[in-house]
Amino acid sequence: QVQLVESGGGLVQPGGSLRLSCAASGTISRFNDMGWYRQAPGKQRELVATISSGGTTNYEHSVEGRFTISRDNAKNTVYLQMNSLKPEDSAVYYCRYQRIGDSYISWGQGTQVTVSS
């Protein structure tokens, strides 16, 4: 099993920046996809960004050009750099691990991001 712990959330003004981190531990495969999802109150959880073991990235349209997902495989950690934050970015952000081969999935507990003046 794989455990994920997110950190880096907080309160930031519109236009500000935050960097989220997700540290993975346990039985980690070298072949996995990592992603960040978010869920605002009363809304469905949505995919924000993904990154493969090889570094291929994909972004939800509204965050394209503002957010950057990256990973450090030596540290078993994935990051989400969030710039030019908007109030509509406010949500609980969740890290997700997906193992290649059997599609085993693990979720983190989430970290709160609030964008407000």
Side-chain angles (χ1 to χ4, degrees):
Q1 58 184 5
V2 174
Q3 297 80 43
L4 306 174
V5 179
E6 302 100 332
S7 62
L11 175 64
V12 64
Q13 292 185 336
S17 298
L18 285 173
R19 189 177 77 155
L20 306 183
S21 298
C22 173
S25 61
T27 307
I28 302 170
S29 172
R30 292 185 122 82
F31 308 103
N32 63 77
D33 294 334
M34 300 294 297
W36 287 97
Y37 292 69
R38 66 187 181 188
Q39 187 168 22
K43 304 294 184 180
Q44 293 285 94
R45 187 174 298 187
E46 66 174 357
L47 189 149
V48 177
T50 61
I51 184 167
S52 71
S53 297
T56 301
T57 59
N58 288 286
Y59 296 92
E60 192 274 327
H61 179 72
S62 69
V63 308
E64 182 76 41
R66 298 189 297 121
F67 292 9
T68 302
I69 188 171
S70 61
R71 63 191 295 163
D72 185 337
N73 291 333
K75 296 181 179 180
N76 292 321
T77 301
V78 63
Y79 306 93
L80 184 68
Q81 178 67 46
M82 304 184 295
N83 299 325
S84 301
L85 283 162
K86 305 174 180 180
E88 51 263 45
D89 294 319
S90 297
V92 177
Y93 282 70
Y94 298 91
C95 182
R96 190 189 77 168
Y97 165 100
Q98 182 173 44
R99 185 165 61 211
I100 303 304
D102 63 0
S103 295
Y104 163 84
I105 293 174
S106 181
W107 290 92
Q109 292 300 303
T111 184
Q112 177 71 52
V113 172
T114 303
V115 184
S116 177
S117 59

